[in-house]
Amino acid sequence: MTQAPRPGPALRVSVPTLSPSSRLYMGTEAGGSALLLVGTLLALAWANSPWAAGYDTFWSTPASLGIGDVELSMDLRHWVNDGAMALFFLVVGLEITREVATGELRDRRSVAAPALGALGGLAVPALVYLAFNPSGEAASGWGIVMSTDTAFVLGVLALFGPRCPDRLRLFLLTLAIVDDIGAISVMALFYSDEIVLPALGVAGLLVVALLVLRWLGVWKLTPYVLTGIALWLAVHESGVHATLAGVLVGLLLPARPPSRKEIDRTAAFGRALREDPDASKARSTKLAVASTVPANARLQESLHRYTAYLVVPVFGLANAGVVLNAETLRAAATSTVTLGIAVALVLGNAVGITLGAFVALKTGWGVLPGGVRWSHLMAGATLAGIGFTISLFITDLAFDDELLREQAKIGILLGSLTAAVIGTVLLRTLGERFPLCSPASDEPPSLPPRPWIEPGVRV
């Protein structure tokens, strides 16, 4: 495939850029997960430093946005959790829609195994947690253990996984997409505040407006973006968590590419620009080229880097600051919330995902991607116990008691770290023992025995 050169004339002074290997690293999940890890470690260091008091003070700082008497005011942590994270969930929704329209989620048998695995990974961890916390306020934390952190899981797979991990990555990515759908649904249904019906009605009308835009075939992003902002405001005022607006916009943006005929029409705009360049023709050509890419892909390309490399790391910085002193660790060691979350993330996901995939395979509903064995599946299921971003997110929704929140966050950190270590060891060990590569060796095939002669030549 032809690689297009960098657009625009070269600068008079060269500007240093990342090396190709650095760009490749930053363009993978490994780069995003590394920044999330940095944000988490900074939050822990800040919360346990001599300046610990400043951590909560900073993130509790109020910030307002308004015009005249109309004002929206939240503290910085809520601007991150309710506002910036809506962009993260928007990208999740865009990814789900793209996969359903043109990706791996089109094939029922390819989807069945990771989808049923994801359902097992939603149900079994929640049941394990409820076994530790069957009643009381602590029981409301069952949703914390239901989500796999896609960025961390795929980042660990990219950094420490076996050679040729693409097929296993495909399984885990499909599982994570279905898992995200389940976790978002749980968040919307069970972790919303008191519902304000008029605002919810406005939100419903705006969803209809998005459907109408899609039905009309509107391909420009501006109408969708403006409607999406209005939808976020309506959902925020309705009492439902505002991040749901991001998911809805992502699910409703068109993802199917235009017809070949529409794509071929762009050549006429290019010819007109070459014959007589001016600003108007340049703008028309730009719009014509943009129209050949679905609105879903264009918005995802614009937002993905910002959510992966800015929004999610800042979210980790704002929410992972847990005080880890002798007192809190002693309380966590005997807390059913901490133990329930840690065991549910590690054991619940490993068992639930494996059982769900087992049902799909034994019934014939689904198949594993080529080269993936049961051993790889179980290792990947263990790695999927890394439940960080959405787990921290639901923690703030599930508990009002600050002590329970701290114990839950310690459980998330402990469970996620344990799942990452065990999953990595299993992947490395089993990946070398049962290679995913096809052929199994990267070495070139051996030469035939001598003499090496051309066919038909006598010796």
Side-chain angles (χ1 to χ4, degrees):
M1 184 177 292
T2 304
Q3 180 67 40
R6 186 169 181 172
L11 298 175
R12 291 183 181 274
V13 179
S14 62
V15 179
T17 59
L18 292 173
S19 66
S21 59
S22 299
R23 287 198 300 270
L24 178 63
Y25 176 79
M26 293 302 294
T28 64
E29 293 85 0
S33 61
L35 292 177
L36 174 56
L37 180 60
V38 169
T40 302
L41 294 176
L42 285 175
L44 289 170
W46 188 357
N48 292 276
S49 71
W51 306 277
Y55 180 79
D56 283 325
T57 301
F58 175 79
W59 293 110
S60 299
T61 303
S64 301
L65 183 66
I67 300 176
D69 296 331
V70 180
E71 183 180 76
L72 179 62
S73 181
M74 296 186 288
D75 61 33
L76 291 180
R77 181 177 282 114
H78 280 89
W79 275 111
V80 172
N81 292 355
D82 296 7
M85 283 299 285
L87 297 177
F88 168 78
F89 285 103
L90 169 58
V91 172
V92 171
L94 293 170
E95 175 68 16
I96 292 170
T97 306
R98 184 182 66 82
E99 290 294 331
V100 170
T102 61
E104 296 298 332
L105 294 184
R106 292 181 302 166
D107 183 358
R108 180 187 65 81
R109 294 199 73 206
S110 297
V111 171
L116 288 180
L119 293 178
L122 292 168
V124 174
L127 293 174
V128 170
Y129 178 85
L130 288 173
F132 282 84
N133 302 277
S135 61
E137 185 181 356
S140 62
W142 58 270
I144 295 171
V145 297
M146 296 181 69
S147 179
T148 295
D149 193 302
T150 311
F152 263 139
V153 170
L154 298 182
V156 170
L157 186 63
L159 286 171
F160 305 111
R163 291 178 300 153
C164 312
D166 289 347
R167 291 299 180 180
L168 182 58
R169 180 186 181 279
L170 175 61
F171 178 89
L172 290 175
L173 180 59
T174 307
L175 182 144
I177 290 171
V178 178
D179 179 272
D180 286 341
I181 295 173
I184 291 165
S185 301
V186 165
M187 219 166 38
L189 294 174
F190 299 101
Y191 291 102
S192 295
D193 297 327
E194 184 178 348
I195 304 300
V196 180
L197 291 179
L200 192 62
V202 173
L205 291 175
L206 291 168
V207 170
V208 173
L210 287 171
L211 289 170
V212 170
L213 289 172
R214 178 171 176 158
W215 178 78
L216 290 172
V218 175
W219 57 268
K220 290 185 178 180
L221 280 177
T222 303
Y224 293 104
V225 171
L226 294 178
T227 308
I229 293 172
L231 178 61
W232 182 87
L233 291 169
V235 172
H236 180 271
E237 294 300 318
S238 73
V240 178
H241 204 275
T243 50
L244 182 63
V247 179
L248 291 173
V249 174
L251 293 176
L252 295 177
L253 250 68
R256 293 193 178 278
S259 65
R260 188 76 245 175
K261 180 180 178 182
E262 292 297 320
I263 296 174
D264 291 340
R265 288 182 65 239
T266 60
F269 293 91
R271 285 195 300 271
L273 181 64
R274 286 197 304 270
E275 292 168 1
D276 184 20
D278 62 37
S280 175
K281 289 183 178 131
R283 180 176 180 276
S284 297
T285 304
K286 180 181 177 181
L287 290 174
V289 171
S291 70
T292 64
V293 180
N296 177 294
R298 279 181 280 134
L299 188 57
Q300 187 174 15
E301 196 274 337
S302 299
L303 293 178
H304 182 262
R305 287 169 294 179
Y306 296 103
T307 58
Y309 306 142
L310 179 62
V311 171
V312 174
V314 170
F315 171 82
L317 181 62
N319 291 275
V322 182
V323 177
L324 300 177
N325 54 33
E327 182 181 349
T328 58
L329 292 176
R330 190 163 45 245
T334 58
S335 167
T336 55
V337 171
T338 302
L339 296 175
I341 289 174
V343 174
L345 286 175
V346 180
L347 185 62
N349 276 282
V351 173
I353 292 171
T354 303
L355 281 178
F358 176 82
V359 170
L361 297 175
K362 287 301 179 182
T363 56
W365 294 345
V367 294
L368 288 177
V372 176
R373 298 174 173 86
W374 275 107
S375 54
H376 303 132
L377 189 150
M378 289 186 284
T382 304
L383 191 66
I386 303 175
F388 193 77
T389 306
I390 298 181
S391 294
L392 287 175
F393 195 85
I394 296 180
T395 296
D396 282 339
L397 302 178
F399 298 132
D400 295 324
D401 188 332
E402 191 59 38
L403 179 60
L404 289 180
R405 285 184 179 178
E406 285 192 357
Q407 293 173 357
K409 290 179 180 180
I410 292 174
I412 292 168
L413 293 172
L414 176 61
S416 296
L417 180 61
T418 304
V421 171
I422 296 176
T424 298
V425 171
L426 288 175
L427 282 174
R428 293 297 297 176
T429 303
L430 298 173
E432 293 300 321
R433 186 177 179 84
F434 305 106
L436 285 166
C437 302
S438 181
S441 174
D442 289 332
E443 298 296 327
S446 58
L447 292 170
R450 290 177 182 267
W452 302 331
I453 59 174
E454 294 183 10
V457 177
R458 297 181 179 180
V459 293

